Tab-separated table of all heavy atoms in Angstrom:
chain	number	residue	atom	x	y	z
P	1	GLY	N	122.491	70.363	103.116
P	1	GLY	CA	123.209	69.560	104.105
P	1	GLY	C	123.821	70.429	105.188
P	1	GLY	O	123.766	70.107	106.376
P	2	PHE	N	124.393	71.538	104.779
P	2	PHE	CA	125.009	72.440	105.738
P	2	PHE	C	123.960	73.057	106.652
P	2	PHE	O	124.185	73.192	107.858
P	2	PHE	CB	125.799	73.526	105.007
P	2	PHE	CG	126.655	74.359	105.905
P	2	PHE	CD1	127.824	73.843	106.435
P	2	PHE	CD2	126.297	75.658	106.216
P	2	PHE	CE1	128.612	74.601	107.274
P	2	PHE	CE2	127.088	76.431	107.045
P	2	PHE	CZ	128.247	75.903	107.578
P	3	SER	N	122.803	73.408	106.098
P	3	SER	CA	121.756	74.005	106.934
P	3	SER	C	121.228	72.997	107.950
P	3	SER	O	120.912	73.367	109.082
P	3	SER	CB	120.615	74.554	106.083
P	3	SER	OG	119.888	73.517	105.480
P	4	VAL	N	121.159	71.720	107.559
P	4	VAL	CA	120.723	70.689	108.498
P	4	VAL	C	121.726	70.575	109.646
P	4	VAL	O	121.348	70.486	110.817
P	4	VAL	CB	120.541	69.326	107.789
P	4	VAL	CG1	120.363	68.202	108.791
P	4	VAL	CG2	119.358	69.377	106.841
P	5	ILE	N	123.002	70.617	109.308
P	5	ILE	CA	124.038	70.527	110.341
P	5	ILE	C	123.946	71.726	111.288
P	5	ILE	O	123.993	71.564	112.516
P	5	ILE	CB	125.439	70.433	109.698
P	5	ILE	CG1	125.592	69.099	108.980
P	5	ILE	CG2	126.534	70.629	110.740
P	5	ILE	CD1	126.817	68.998	108.104
P	6	LEU	N	123.799	72.923	110.735
P	6	LEU	CA	123.692	74.116	111.585
P	6	LEU	C	122.456	74.060	112.483
P	6	LEU	O	122.520	74.407	113.667
P	6	LEU	CB	123.661	75.379	110.739
P	6	LEU	CG	124.979	75.826	110.130
P	6	LEU	CD1	124.786	77.116	109.344
P	6	LEU	CD2	126.032	76.019	111.196
P	7	LYS	N	121.337	73.623	111.926
P	7	LYS	CA	120.118	73.524	112.728
P	7	LYS	C	120.277	72.482	113.830
P	7	LYS	O	119.825	72.693	114.959
P	7	LYS	CB	118.924	73.172	111.841
P	7	LYS	CG	118.474	74.319	110.962
P	7	LYS	CD	117.351	73.882	110.041
P	7	LYS	CE	116.996	74.972	109.047
P	7	LYS	NZ	115.970	74.529	108.085
P	8	ALA	N	120.923	71.363	113.510
P	8	ALA	CA	121.136	70.322	114.519
P	8	ALA	C	122.024	70.827	115.644
P	8	ALA	O	121.762	70.575	116.830
P	8	ALA	CB	121.742	69.078	113.867
P	9	VAL	N	123.062	71.565	115.296
P	9	VAL	CA	123.946	72.128	116.320
P	9	VAL	C	123.177	73.135	117.174
P	9	VAL	O	123.294	73.138	118.406
P	9	VAL	CB	125.195	72.777	115.669
P	9	VAL	CG1	125.978	73.600	116.671
P	9	VAL	CG2	126.081	71.707	115.059
P	10	ALA	N	122.377	73.973	116.541
P	10	ALA	CA	121.591	74.969	117.287
P	10	ALA	C	120.605	74.282	118.227
P	10	ALA	O	120.463	74.681	119.397
P	10	ALA	CB	120.854	75.894	116.321
P	11	ILE	N	119.941	73.242	117.743
P	11	ILE	CA	118.988	72.504	118.583
P	11	ILE	C	119.710	71.870	119.763
P	11	ILE	O	119.232	71.920	120.900
P	11	ILE	CB	118.238	71.444	117.757
P	11	ILE	CG1	117.263	72.113	116.789
P	11	ILE	CG2	117.493	70.470	118.669
P	11	ILE	CD1	116.676	71.164	115.759
P	12	SER	N	120.867	71.272	119.511
P	12	SER	CA	121.584	70.617	120.605
P	12	SER	C	122.056	71.624	121.652
P	12	SER	O	121.951	71.369	122.854
P	12	SER	CB	122.765	69.804	120.074
P	12	SER	OG	123.751	70.643	119.530
P	13	TYR	N	122.549	72.792	121.218
P	13	TYR	CA	122.963	73.817	122.180
P	13	TYR	C	121.772	74.344	122.967
P	13	TYR	O	121.867	74.555	124.180
P	13	TYR	CB	123.676	74.968	121.485
P	13	TYR	CG	125.114	74.674	121.139
P	13	TYR	CD1	125.667	75.143	119.955
P	13	TYR	CD2	125.926	73.928	121.974
P	13	TYR	CE1	126.985	74.877	119.628
P	13	TYR	CE2	127.240	73.660	121.655
P	13	TYR	CZ	127.768	74.141	120.487
P	13	TYR	OH	129.060	73.885	120.166
P	14	LEU	N	120.663	74.567	122.295
P	14	LEU	CA	119.472	75.072	122.973
P	14	LEU	C	118.946	74.052	123.988
P	14	LEU	O	118.599	74.415	125.118
P	14	LEU	CB	118.385	75.422	121.956
P	14	LEU	CG	117.103	75.995	122.523
P	14	LEU	CD1	117.377	77.310	123.247
P	14	LEU	CD2	116.088	76.214	121.415
P	15	ALA	N	118.912	72.777	123.591
P	15	ALA	CA	118.440	71.741	124.510
P	15	ALA	C	119.385	71.603	125.701
P	15	ALA	O	118.932	71.441	126.846
P	15	ALA	CB	118.313	70.400	123.772
P	16	GLU	N	120.684	71.682	125.445
P	16	GLU	CA	121.648	71.584	126.539
P	16	GLU	C	121.515	72.783	127.483
P	16	GLU	O	121.515	72.628	128.703
P	16	GLU	CB	123.071	71.514	125.994
P	16	GLU	CG	124.123	71.376	127.067
P	16	GLU	CD	125.523	71.326	126.515
P	16	GLU	OE1	125.699	71.337	125.283
P	16	GLU	OE2	126.456	71.292	127.330
P	17	PHE	N	121.389	73.977	126.915
P	17	PHE	CA	121.222	75.182	127.736
P	17	PHE	C	119.957	75.079	128.589
P	17	PHE	O	119.980	75.341	129.799
P	17	PHE	CB	121.152	76.422	126.841
P	17	PHE	CG	120.673	77.648	127.543
P	17	PHE	CD1	121.501	78.319	128.431
P	17	PHE	CD2	119.388	78.139	127.333
P	17	PHE	CE1	121.058	79.459	129.088
P	17	PHE	CE2	118.945	79.269	127.984
P	17	PHE	CZ	119.773	79.928	128.872
P	18	SER	N	118.855	74.679	127.973
P	18	SER	CA	117.591	74.562	128.707
P	18	SER	C	117.676	73.480	129.778
P	18	SER	O	117.206	73.667	130.902
P	18	SER	CB	116.445	74.258	127.747
P	18	SER	OG	116.329	75.261	126.786
P	19	GLY	N	118.275	72.352	129.421
P	19	GLY	CA	118.430	71.266	130.386
P	19	GLY	C	119.307	71.665	131.563
P	19	GLY	O	118.991	71.366	132.719
P	20	ASP	N	120.403	72.345	131.274
P	20	ASP	CA	121.283	72.797	132.356
P	20	ASP	C	120.588	73.802	133.259
P	20	ASP	O	120.761	73.775	134.485
P	20	ASP	CB	122.567	73.415	131.784
P	20	ASP	CG	123.503	72.376	131.206
P	20	ASP	OD1	123.322	71.175	131.492
P	20	ASP	OD2	124.419	72.768	130.451
P	21	THR	N	119.787	74.680	132.661
P	21	THR	CA	119.042	75.657	133.462
P	21	THR	C	118.039	74.941	134.368
P	21	THR	O	117.915	75.284	135.549
P	21	THR	CB	118.313	76.665	132.553
P	21	THR	OG1	119.282	77.322	131.731
P	21	THR	CG2	117.562	77.702	133.368
P	22	CYS	N	117.367	73.947	133.825
P	22	CYS	CA	116.422	73.170	134.645
P	22	CYS	C	117.157	72.455	135.777
P	22	CYS	O	116.697	72.443	136.915
P	22	CYS	CB	115.680	72.145	133.786
P	22	CYS	SG	114.529	72.860	132.609
P	23	ARG	N	118.311	71.858	135.456
P	23	ARG	CA	119.105	71.154	136.462
P	23	ARG	C	119.599	72.093	137.559
P	23	ARG	O	119.652	71.711	138.733
P	23	ARG	CB	120.293	70.462	135.805
P	23	ARG	CG	120.194	68.976	135.845
P	23	ARG	CD	121.423	68.297	135.257
P	23	ARG	NE	120.965	67.475	134.149
P	23	ARG	CZ	120.965	67.836	132.876
P	23	ARG	NH1	121.452	68.972	132.501
P	23	ARG	NH2	120.507	67.027	131.954
P	24	ASP	N	119.968	73.310	137.168
P	24	ASP	CA	120.443	74.287	138.145
P	24	ASP	C	119.399	74.576	139.217
P	24	ASP	O	119.745	74.923	140.347
P	24	ASP	CB	120.818	75.609	137.465
P	24	ASP	CG	122.125	75.521	136.716
P	24	ASP	OD1	122.887	74.555	136.942
P	24	ASP	OD2	122.390	76.418	135.884
P	25	PHE	N	118.144	74.437	138.858
P	25	PHE	CA	117.082	74.736	139.803
P	25	PHE	C	116.358	73.483	140.279
P	25	PHE	O	115.210	73.525	140.686
P	25	PHE	CB	116.124	75.766	139.200
P	25	PHE	CG	116.797	77.098	139.043
P	25	PHE	CD1	117.411	77.455	137.852
P	25	PHE	CD2	116.898	77.954	140.122
P	25	PHE	CE1	118.086	78.655	137.729
P	25	PHE	CE2	117.569	79.157	140.006
P	25	PHE	CZ	118.160	79.511	138.808
P	26	GLY	N	117.076	72.349	140.220
P	26	GLY	CA	116.584	71.116	140.825
P	26	GLY	C	115.555	70.351	140.028
P	26	GLY	O	114.959	69.416	140.549
């Protein structure tokens, strides 16, 4: 259960980082 939570948090941070980077460049 803990590993699922950690993986979900990592995925959400990675997706947010990638999305923000894409947004920064239009």
Side-chain angles (χ1 to χ4, degrees):
F2 190 74
S3 69
V4 169
I5 292 169
L6 285 181
K7 288 176 186 176
V9 169
I11 290 169
S12 67
Y13 281 143
L14 182 62
E16 181 181 357
F17 167 74
S18 301
D20 287 345
T21 302
C22 291
R23 248 183 239 96
D24 285 345
F25 292 94

